[in-house]
Amino acid sequence: MSTKVRKAVLPVAGLGTRVLPGAKTTPKNMLNVFDRPILSYIVEEARAAGVEHFVFVVGRGQGAIEDYFDASPEIEGALEAKGKADILAEVRRDLPQPGQMSFVRQMAPLGLGHAVWCARDIIGDEPFAVILPDMLMAADTPTLAQAVAAYDQVGGNIIVVEPAPEGEAHKYGIVDLESRKGRINRMRGMVEKPAPGTEPSNLFISGRYILQPDIFPLLEKQGKGAGGEIQLTDAMAELMKVQPFHALEYEGVTYDCGDKIGLLRANVAFALRHPTFGGAAREAITGLL
Ligand code: G1P
Protein backbone atom coordinates (compact mmCIF):
# COMPACT_ATOMS: atom_id res chain seq x y z
CA MET A 1 0.00 0.00 0.00
CA SER A 2 1.31 3.41 -0.96
CA THR A 3 1.60 5.81 1.96
CA LYS A 4 2.14 8.84 -0.26
CA VAL A 5 -0.88 11.06 -0.93
CA ARG A 6 -1.23 10.64 -4.69
CA LYS A 7 -4.95 11.08 -5.22
CA ALA A 8 -7.50 13.75 -4.40
CA VAL A 9 -11.29 13.64 -4.31
CA LEU A 10 -13.07 16.82 -5.39
CA PRO A 11 -16.78 16.78 -4.59
CA VAL A 12 -18.27 19.28 -7.03
CA ALA A 13 -21.83 18.02 -7.49
CA GLY A 14 -23.57 20.67 -5.33
CA LEU A 15 -26.19 22.86 -6.99
CA GLY A 16 -24.56 26.10 -5.92
CA THR A 17 -27.82 27.45 -4.54
CA ARG A 18 -26.12 30.44 -2.92
CA VAL A 19 -24.51 31.54 -6.20
CA LEU A 20 -27.55 31.23 -8.45
CA PRO A 21 -28.36 32.28 -11.10
CA GLY A 22 -24.64 32.35 -12.02
CA ALA A 23 -24.42 28.63 -11.29
CA LYS A 24 -27.53 27.72 -13.29
CA THR A 25 -25.76 26.61 -16.46
CA THR A 26 -22.15 26.83 -15.27
CA PRO A 27 -21.10 24.38 -12.53
CA LYS A 28 -20.45 26.54 -9.46
CA ASN A 29 -16.80 25.55 -9.24
CA MET A 30 -16.35 26.63 -12.87
CA LEU A 31 -17.27 30.24 -12.03
CA ASN A 32 -14.40 32.60 -12.65
CA VAL A 33 -12.13 34.04 -10.03
CA PHE A 34 -10.53 36.89 -11.97
CA ASP A 35 -9.30 35.13 -15.13
CA ARG A 36 -9.83 31.41 -14.59
CA PRO A 37 -12.30 29.00 -13.02
CA ILE A 38 -12.16 28.18 -9.31
CA LEU A 39 -11.17 24.61 -10.21
CA SER A 40 -8.06 25.87 -11.98
CA TYR A 41 -6.74 27.23 -8.67
CA ILE A 42 -7.78 24.08 -6.83
CA VAL A 43 -5.99 21.76 -9.25
CA GLU A 44 -2.91 23.99 -9.08
CA GLU A 45 -2.95 23.77 -5.26
CA ALA A 46 -3.30 19.99 -5.32
CA ARG A 47 -0.50 19.52 -7.86
CA ALA A 48 1.78 21.63 -5.67
CA ALA A 49 1.12 19.09 -2.90
CA GLY A 50 2.13 16.15 -5.13
CA VAL A 51 -1.35 15.00 -6.19
CA GLU A 52 -1.16 12.98 -9.40
CA HIS A 53 -4.74 11.84 -9.87
CA PHE A 54 -7.96 13.79 -9.47
CA VAL A 55 -11.33 12.19 -8.83
CA PHE A 56 -14.15 14.63 -9.53
CA VAL A 57 -17.47 13.63 -8.03
CA VAL A 58 -19.89 15.37 -10.37
CA GLY A 59 -23.63 15.69 -10.85
CA ARG A 60 -25.86 15.96 -13.89
CA GLY A 61 -25.20 18.92 -16.18
CA GLN A 62 -21.57 19.34 -15.14
CA GLY A 63 -19.94 18.24 -18.38
CA ALA A 64 -18.22 21.63 -18.60
CA ILE A 65 -15.76 20.45 -15.95
CA GLU A 66 -14.66 17.47 -18.00
CA ASP A 67 -14.44 19.64 -21.13
CA TYR A 68 -12.34 22.27 -19.36
CA PHE A 69 -9.71 19.67 -18.50
CA ASP A 70 -9.64 18.28 -22.04
CA ALA A 71 -7.81 19.49 -25.12
CA SER A 72 -9.69 22.06 -27.20
CA PRO A 73 -8.45 21.67 -30.79
CA GLU A 74 -10.55 24.60 -32.07
CA ILE A 75 -9.36 27.13 -29.52
CA GLU A 76 -5.79 25.87 -29.41
CA GLY A 77 -5.60 25.68 -33.24
CA ALA A 78 -6.91 29.23 -33.62
CA LEU A 79 -4.45 30.60 -31.06
CA GLU A 80 -1.58 28.75 -32.71
CA ALA A 81 -2.56 30.10 -36.15
CA LYS A 82 -2.63 33.65 -34.75
CA GLY A 83 0.68 33.19 -32.96
CA LYS A 84 -0.87 33.95 -29.55
CA ALA A 85 1.60 31.81 -27.62
CA ASP A 86 1.01 33.33 -24.20
CA ILE A 87 -2.77 32.87 -24.26
CA LEU A 88 -2.22 29.34 -25.59
CA ALA A 89 0.04 28.57 -22.64
CA GLU A 90 -2.63 29.84 -20.24
CA VAL A 91 -5.31 27.73 -21.94
CA ARG A 92 -3.12 24.65 -21.64
CA ARG A 93 -1.82 25.21 -18.11
CA ASP A 94 -4.47 23.10 -16.39
CA LEU A 95 -4.48 20.13 -18.77
CA PRO A 96 -3.72 16.81 -17.08
CA GLN A 97 -1.54 14.08 -18.50
CA PRO A 98 -3.75 11.48 -20.16
CA GLY A 99 -5.42 9.32 -17.50
CA GLN A 100 -4.80 11.64 -14.55
CA MET A 101 -8.45 12.58 -14.04
CA SER A 102 -11.51 10.48 -13.29
CA PHE A 103 -15.12 11.58 -13.18
CA VAL A 104 -17.71 9.71 -11.17
CA ARG A 105 -21.37 10.61 -10.84
CA GLN A 106 -23.03 11.18 -7.53
CA MET A 107 -26.45 10.08 -8.68
CA ALA A 108 -28.38 11.70 -5.82
CA PRO A 109 -27.49 14.64 -3.53
CA LEU A 110 -27.19 12.59 -0.35
CA GLY A 111 -24.42 14.59 1.30
CA LEU A 112 -20.66 15.11 1.40
CA GLY A 113 -20.01 11.73 2.99
CA HIS A 114 -21.88 10.03 0.19
CA ALA A 115 -19.99 12.07 -2.43
CA VAL A 116 -16.62 10.98 -1.03
CA TRP A 117 -17.81 7.36 -0.84
CA CYS A 118 -18.61 7.52 -4.58
CA ALA A 119 -14.84 7.76 -5.20
CA ARG A 120 -13.93 4.58 -3.28
CA ASP A 121 -13.14 2.29 -6.22
CA ILE A 122 -10.81 4.81 -7.82
CA ILE A 123 -9.01 5.64 -4.58
CA GLY A 124 -8.54 1.98 -3.60
CA ASP A 125 -6.35 1.16 -0.61
CA GLU A 126 -4.22 4.26 -0.08
CA PRO A 127 -4.37 7.56 1.80
CA PHE A 128 -5.98 10.36 -0.17
CA ALA A 129 -6.87 14.02 -0.01
CA VAL A 130 -10.34 15.54 -0.05
CA ILE A 131 -10.62 19.11 -1.28
CA LEU A 132 -13.83 21.12 -1.03
CA PRO A 133 -13.40 23.40 -4.04
CA ASP A 134 -15.82 26.07 -2.77
CA MET A 135 -13.18 26.96 -0.24
CA LEU A 136 -10.49 28.76 -2.20
CA MET A 137 -7.37 29.43 -0.18
CA ALA A 138 -4.60 31.93 -0.70
CA ALA A 139 -1.44 30.81 1.06
CA ASP A 140 2.30 31.22 0.53
CA THR A 141 2.71 27.45 0.94
CA PRO A 142 -0.38 26.01 -0.78
CA THR A 143 -2.76 24.70 1.85
CA LEU A 144 -2.81 21.08 0.77
CA ALA A 145 1.00 21.06 0.79
CA GLN A 146 0.83 22.27 4.41
CA ALA A 147 -1.54 19.36 5.14
CA VAL A 148 0.77 16.84 3.42
CA ALA A 149 3.72 18.18 5.46
CA ALA A 150 1.68 17.67 8.64
CA TYR A 151 0.76 14.17 7.44
CA ASP A 152 4.42 13.33 6.81
CA GLN A 153 5.10 14.40 10.38
CA VAL A 154 2.29 12.68 12.32
CA GLY A 155 0.58 10.24 9.87
CA GLY A 156 -2.98 9.07 10.40
CA ASN A 157 -5.66 11.51 9.30
CA ILE A 158 -5.33 15.29 8.97
CA ILE A 159 -8.08 17.90 8.95
CA VAL A 160 -7.29 21.50 8.02
CA VAL A 161 -9.08 23.92 10.35
CA GLU A 162 -9.29 27.63 11.06
CA PRO A 163 -11.11 29.88 13.53
CA ALA A 164 -14.72 30.55 12.57
CA PRO A 165 -15.92 34.15 12.55
CA GLU A 166 -17.66 35.11 15.81
CA GLY A 167 -21.09 33.48 16.05
CA GLU A 168 -20.72 31.34 12.90
CA ALA A 169 -19.25 28.08 14.24
CA HIS A 170 -22.62 26.32 14.09
CA LYS A 171 -22.58 26.56 10.27
CA TYR A 172 -19.62 24.20 9.95
CA GLY A 173 -17.98 21.00 11.13
CA ILE A 174 -16.19 21.84 14.40
CA VAL A 175 -13.24 20.01 15.93
CA ASP A 176 -12.41 19.34 19.56
CA LEU A 177 -8.70 19.23 20.43
CA GLU A 178 -6.91 17.33 23.20
CA SER A 179 -4.87 20.49 23.80
CA ARG A 180 -3.83 23.45 21.68
CA LYS A 181 -0.07 23.91 21.29
CA GLY A 182 1.33 25.04 17.96
CA ARG A 183 -0.51 24.43 14.69
CA ILE A 184 -0.82 20.60 14.66
CA ASN A 185 -2.90 19.17 17.47
CA ARG A 186 -4.36 15.77 18.21
CA MET A 187 -8.14 15.77 18.10
CA ARG A 188 -10.52 14.15 20.54
CA GLY A 189 -13.79 14.83 18.76
CA MET A 190 -15.66 16.58 15.99
CA VAL A 191 -19.24 17.50 15.33
CA GLU A 192 -21.09 18.61 12.22
CA LYS A 193 -23.15 21.80 12.58
CA PRO A 194 -23.38 21.89 16.39
CA ALA A 195 -26.34 23.76 17.88
CA PRO A 196 -25.33 27.36 18.65
CA GLY A 197 -23.74 27.54 22.08
CA THR A 198 -22.69 23.86 22.13
CA GLU A 199 -19.59 24.16 19.89
CA PRO A 200 -16.58 22.38 21.46
CA SER A 201 -14.23 25.05 20.00
CA ASN A 202 -14.23 27.80 17.38
CA LEU A 203 -12.11 25.79 14.94
CA PHE A 204 -14.02 24.76 11.85
CA ILE A 205 -13.22 22.17 9.21
CA SER A 206 -12.26 24.38 6.32
CA GLY A 207 -12.15 22.05 3.33
CA ARG A 208 -8.86 20.12 3.08
CA TYR A 209 -8.50 16.63 4.50
CA ILE A 210 -6.05 13.74 4.31
CA LEU A 211 -7.80 10.49 5.09
CA GLN A 212 -7.01 6.81 5.30
CA PRO A 213 -9.02 4.50 3.02
CA ASP A 214 -10.54 2.90 6.14
CA ILE A 215 -13.08 5.74 5.96
CA PHE A 216 -14.89 4.03 3.05
CA PRO A 217 -16.50 1.08 4.88
CA LEU A 218 -17.62 3.55 7.55
CA LEU A 219 -19.12 5.87 4.94
CA GLU A 220 -20.90 2.92 3.40
CA LYS A 221 -22.89 2.28 6.57
CA GLN A 222 -23.10 5.90 7.74
CA GLY A 223 -26.69 7.00 8.39
CA LYS A 224 -28.06 10.48 7.83
CA GLY A 225 -26.78 13.23 10.11
CA ALA A 226 -27.06 17.03 10.22
CA GLY A 227 -29.44 18.39 7.59
CA GLY A 228 -30.64 14.86 6.79
CA GLU A 229 -27.41 14.24 4.82
CA ILE A 230 -24.73 11.54 5.01
CA GLN A 231 -21.97 13.53 6.66
CA LEU A 232 -18.24 12.99 6.19
CA THR A 233 -17.73 14.41 9.70
CA ASP A 234 -19.83 11.63 11.26
CA ALA A 235 -17.82 8.87 9.53
CA MET A 236 -14.56 10.58 10.51
CA ALA A 237 -15.74 10.67 14.14
CA GLU A 238 -16.24 6.88 13.88
CA LEU A 239 -12.78 6.39 12.34
CA MET A 240 -11.28 8.49 15.12
CA LYS A 241 -12.19 5.74 17.59
CA VAL A 242 -9.50 3.55 16.01
CA GLN A 243 -7.11 5.94 14.23
CA PRO A 244 -5.47 9.23 15.18
CA PHE A 245 -6.77 12.50 13.74
CA HIS A 246 -4.81 15.73 13.89
CA ALA A 247 -6.15 19.20 13.17
CA LEU A 248 -3.84 21.56 11.28
CA GLU A 249 -4.40 25.29 11.72
CA TYR A 250 -3.10 26.31 8.32
CA GLU A 251 -1.45 29.61 7.39
CA GLY A 252 -3.41 31.50 4.75
CA VAL A 253 -6.77 33.04 3.95
CA THR A 254 -9.96 31.20 2.95
CA TYR A 255 -12.57 32.55 0.54
CA ASP A 256 -15.91 30.74 0.48
CA CYS A 257 -16.76 30.88 -3.21
CA GLY A 258 -20.07 29.10 -2.61
CA ASP A 259 -21.36 32.46 -1.41
CA LYS A 260 -21.78 35.65 -3.48
CA ILE A 261 -19.76 37.95 -1.23
CA GLY A 262 -17.09 35.28 -0.68
CA LEU A 263 -16.79 34.90 -4.45
CA LEU A 264 -16.49 38.65 -4.84
CA ARG A 265 -13.75 38.78 -2.17
CA ALA A 266 -11.90 35.96 -3.93
CA ASN A 267 -12.10 37.83 -7.23
CA VAL A 268 -10.64 40.98 -5.70
CA ALA A 269 -7.96 39.13 -3.72
CA PHE A 270 -6.76 36.97 -6.60
CA ALA A 271 -6.85 39.89 -9.05
CA LEU A 272 -4.62 41.85 -6.66
CA ARG A 273 -2.23 38.86 -6.38
CA HIS A 274 -2.07 38.34 -10.14
CA PRO A 275 1.53 38.59 -11.41
CA THR A 276 0.60 40.54 -14.57
CA PHE A 277 -2.66 42.28 -13.74
CA GLY A 278 -2.18 42.95 -10.02
CA GLY A 279 -1.22 46.62 -10.49
CA ALA A 280 -3.98 47.38 -12.98
CA ALA A 281 -6.48 45.57 -10.75
CA ARG A 282 -5.48 47.73 -7.78
CA GLU A 283 -6.00 50.89 -9.85
CA ALA A 284 -9.37 49.70 -11.11
CA ILE A 285 -10.59 48.72 -7.65
CA THR A 286 -9.31 51.91 -6.02
CA GLY A 287 -11.05 53.92 -8.76
CA LEU A 288 -14.35 52.33 -7.85
CA LEU A 289 -14.13 53.20 -4.15
C1 G1P B 1 -19.05 21.01 4.66
C2 G1P B 1 -18.56 20.09 5.77
C3 G1P B 1 -18.22 20.91 7.01
C4 G1P B 1 -17.22 21.99 6.67
C5 G1P B 1 -17.74 22.84 5.50
C6 G1P B 1 -16.70 23.83 5.02
O1 G1P B 1 -20.30 21.57 5.05
O2 G1P B 1 -19.56 19.13 6.06
O3 G1P B 1 -17.69 20.07 8.01
O4 G1P B 1 -16.94 22.79 7.79
O5 G1P B 1 -18.11 22.03 4.38
O6 G1P B 1 -17.25 24.64 4.03
P1 G1P B 1 -21.28 22.30 3.99
O7 G1P B 1 -20.65 23.61 3.65
O8 G1P B 1 -21.37 21.39 2.80
O9 G1P B 1 -22.57 22.45 4.71
Side-chain angles (χ1 to χ4, degrees), residues 150-264:
Y151 175 71
D152 290 343
Q153 207 179 314
V154 296
N157 301 269
I158 305 288
I159 301 184
V160 173
V161 300
E162 65 186 282
E166 188 69 33
E168 293 197 4
H170 64 280
K171 295 184 182 169
Y172 298 102
I174 300 292
V175 303
D176 191 10
L177 306 180
E178 280 187 355
S179 64
R180 195 168 173 186
K181 281 191 228 99
R183 292 188 169 271
I184 306 172
N185 290 293
R186 180 101 184 230
M187 289 169 50
R188 66 175 173 208
M190 65 189 109
V191 53
E192 184 66 24
K193 312 225 166 45
T198 68
E199 302 91 348
S201 78
N202 72 336
L203 293 175
F204 80 94
I205 298 172
S206 57
R208 306 290 184 271
Y209 315 69
I210 292 175
L211 297 173
Q212 297 298 325
D214 312 83
I215 195 75
F216 291 121
L218 298 173
L219 284 171
E220 180 145 5
K221 57 178 200 222
Q222 185 62 54
K224 290 178 181 172
E229 297 190 341
I230 298 171
Q231 295 290 353
L232 179 58
T233 304
D234 294 342
M236 293 193 300
E238 279 300 309
L239 184 56
M240 203 175 59
K241 293 177 183 165
V242 292
Q243 282 185 8
F245 272 74
H246 284 81
L248 165 69
E249 282 182 66
Y250 90 106
E251 291 181 82
V253 182
T254 299
Y255 302 94
D256 182 356
C257 295
D259 171 82
K260 287 182 184 179
I261 296 298
L263 185 58
L264 172 66

Side-chain angles (χ1 to χ4, degrees), residues 13-284:
L15 292 179
T17 318
R18 289 179 294 144
V19 284
L20 282 170
K24 185 177 170 188
T25 51
T26 302
K28 64 171 173 171
N29 297 134
M30 289 301 293
L31 293 173
N32 246 28
V33 166
F34 189 54
D35 63 345
R36 52 198 174 107
I38 294 165
L39 282 175
S40 167
Y41 296 90
I42 296 291
V43 164
E44 182 178 47
E45 177 190 331
R47 284 199 176 121
V51 169
E52 297 162 5
H53 192 102
F54 295 82
V55 186
F56 291 88
V57 182
V58 297
R60 276 186 296 285
Q62 295 193 318
I65 299 174
E66 209 165 335
D67 289 343
Y68 180 80
F69 291 105
D70 192 4
S72 173
E74 277 173 15
I75 293 176
E76 291 174 43
L79 291 171
E80 235 158 37
K82 288 183 182 156
K84 301 215 181 271
D86 42 348
I87 304 180
L88 186 60
E90 281 185 64
V91 165
R92 286 179 172 158
R93 65 180 284 165
D94 296 321
L95 294 184
Q97 295 296 313
Q100 283 186 325
M101 287 186 174
S102 303
F103 296 82
V104 298
R105 286 278 182 121
Q106 185 184 18
M107 294 160 75
L110 299 179
L112 177 60
H114 178 259
V116 171
W117 178 73
C118 288
R120 67 200 178 281
D121 281 351
I122 299 171
I123 298 299
D125 192 22
E126 55 184 279
F128 64 102
V130 175
I131 303 181
L132 307 187
D134 284 4
M135 303 302 255
L136 190 53
M137 296 175 179
D140 291 341
T141 302
T143 309
L144 193 65
Q146 295 182 39
V148 167
Y151 175 71
D152 290 343
Q153 207 179 314
V154 296
N157 301 269
I158 305 288
I159 301 184
V160 173
V161 300
E162 65 186 282
E166 188 69 33
E168 293 197 4
H170 64 280
K171 295 184 182 169
Y172 298 102
I174 300 292
V175 303
D176 191 10
L177 306 180
E178 280 187 355
S179 64
R180 195 168 173 186
K181 281 191 228 99
R183 292 188 169 271
I184 306 172
N185 290 293
R186 180 101 184 230
M187 289 169 50
R188 66 175 173 208
M190 65 189 109
V191 53
E192 184 66 24
K193 312 225 166 45
T198 68
E199 302 91 348
S201 78
N202 72 336
L203 293 175
F204 80 94
I205 298 172
S206 57
R208 306 290 184 271
Y209 315 69
I210 292 175
L211 297 173
Q212 297 298 325
D214 312 83
I215 195 75
F216 291 121
L218 298 173
L219 284 171
E220 180 145 5
K221 57 178 200 222
Q222 185 62 54
K224 290 178 181 172
E229 297 190 341
I230 298 171
Q231 295 290 353
L232 179 58
T233 304
D234 294 342
M236 293 193 300
E238 279 300 309
L239 184 56
M240 203 175 59
K241 293 177 183 165
V242 292
Q243 282 185 8
F245 272 74
H246 284 81
L248 165 69
E249 282 182 66
Y250 90 106
E251 291 181 82
V253 182
T254 299
Y255 302 94
D256 182 356
C257 295
D259 171 82
K260 287 182 184 179
I261 296 298
L263 185 58
L264 172 66
R265 289 179 65 236
N267 266 282
V268 174
F270 281 87
L272 292 172
R273 284 169 73 96
H274 195 286
T276 313
F277 290 98
R282 181 171 301 278
E283 261 178 47

